[in-house]
Amino acid sequence: MRAEVVVDDSRRLGDEGFISGCWGTLAEQLDEAYYDDRSDADDDLEKGRIKFPQDKLYGRDTELELLRGLYNDIIQERSSSSAAAQVVFLGGYSGVGKSAMVADLVRQLSEDDKSVVCTWGKYSKLQSAAAPFSATSDALGHLVLELTKDKHAHHLESIREKLCNDETRMAMTSTFPSVAPLFKTFDPANSSDPATVATSTNEVKEAFTDFINCICKCLECPLIWFLDDLQWSD
């Protein structure tokens, strides 16, 4: 399934309490000093400047509700034979808050369910041409760090039991070395010639698909895979 969420601030320009140029919506503040310390600021440029908490997201309730709904749909479908991965595209101008919204979504889900697994990678305008798998490699690195934590010990044991295909291991570790800890000890006697493994993009894609399918089957919750700045992927 594919869904698309457009993050747009233009519709909010006429909203009551919204001020163009400010990040957030102004409302009654119970603690004025937290948002405006004009009396304590040493720098004249800081005096009278409105502050907003860095860990709070404003004006994205509709989009977050939609994303949470999609996540809950996946939870409900996991027990059915028709369960499938879902792809969500977040669109919007640069700096509108797409990445911050995903981070807030993961924070909310983690507070509701401690078993949430999320990993992320970011494409770069300068690096993606030379390293087309850069964001995927970053995401895999973060995933390995998460799955090797003590709380995922039972998941890791199951993953290592199922990732027993030496060709998949060679293809993945030669392209993405960071995933090696998720495999059992490699037996060279039962492997293919390394020179014949992962010689094409198709072989890497096939190995990656098998790898991710195995991870998802072993986890007790959906895997959130976030790739940022996808426009630079090609």
Side-chain angles (χ1 to χ4, degrees), residues 2-232:
R2 167 179 170 174
E4 184 169 352
V5 180
V6 178
V7 183
D8 183 11
D9 270 337
S10 61
R11 60 179 174 79
R12 301 170 56 228
L13 293 179
D15 289 354
E16 182 179 356
F18 180 79
I19 298 179
S20 179
C22 287
W23 180 259
T25 299
L26 300 182
E28 180 182 0
Q29 310 300 343
L30 300 180
D31 183 6
E32 182 180 352
Y34 184 84
Y35 298 90
D36 183 0
D37 58 355
R38 67 184 71 188
S39 60
D40 299 329
D42 295 329
D43 186 349
D44 288 341
L45 294 178
E46 291 294 326
K47 292 181 178 180
R49 180 171 296 180
I50 297 174
K51 297 181 179 180
F52 291 93
Q54 296 299 311
D55 58 348
K56 184 173 179 59
L57 195 66
Y58 295 89
R60 296 292 179 230
D61 292 343
T62 300
E63 291 86 352
L64 283 170
E65 184 178 354
L66 175 58
L67 291 175
R68 287 184 66 98
L70 292 171
Y71 183 86
N72 291 333
D73 289 343
I74 298 175
I75 293 289
Q76 295 176 2
E77 292 177 1
R78 280 176 65 84
S79 59
S80 68
S81 58
S82 61
Q86 296 193 20
V87 178
V88 178
F89 291 95
L90 288 179
Y93 290 110
S94 177
V96 77
K98 300 182 295 296
S99 301
M101 186 167 64
V102 173
D104 198 69
L105 171 70
V106 173
R107 179 189 60 78
Q108 292 183 21
L109 293 175
S110 298
E111 291 177 353
D112 296 341
D113 182 0
K114 301 301 181 182
S115 64
V116 170
V117 177
C118 175
T119 187
W120 65 95
K122 184 180 178 69
Y123 284 104
S124 168
K125 179 179 181 179
L126 300 178
Q127 296 179 356
S128 296
F133 294 131
S134 59
T136 300
S137 181
D138 289 344
L140 287 170
H142 287 117
L143 180 61
V144 170
L145 289 176
E146 177 66 23
L147 294 180
T148 50
K149 293 180 179 178
D150 291 342
K151 65 179 182 179
H152 292 297
H154 61 296
H155 292 145
L156 183 58
E157 182 180 356
S158 177
I159 290 170
R160 285 174 172 168
E161 287 293 332
K162 295 183 182 302
L163 285 176
C164 56
N165 186 309
D166 284 340
E167 290 188 357
T168 298
R169 175 185 171 125
M170 285 297 298
M172 288 298 297
T173 56
S174 62
T175 309
F176 310 106
S178 63
V179 303
L182 299 185
F183 290 87
K184 279 187 172 182
T185 303
F186 178 54
D187 183 6
N190 296 324
S191 68
S192 302
D193 180 357
T196 66
V197 178
T199 56
S200 71
T201 301
N202 286 337
E203 289 175 327
V204 174
K205 289 180 178 179
E206 183 177 351
F208 177 81
T209 300
D210 292 341
F211 177 86
I212 292 297
N213 282 338
C214 176
I215 298 292
C216 292
K217 289 178 181 179
C218 293
L219 291 177
E220 298 171 352
C221 63
L223 169 64
I224 300 177
W225 182 279
F226 175 46
L227 296 180
D228 204 355
D229 284 342
L230 195 62
Q231 70 272 18
W232 304 123

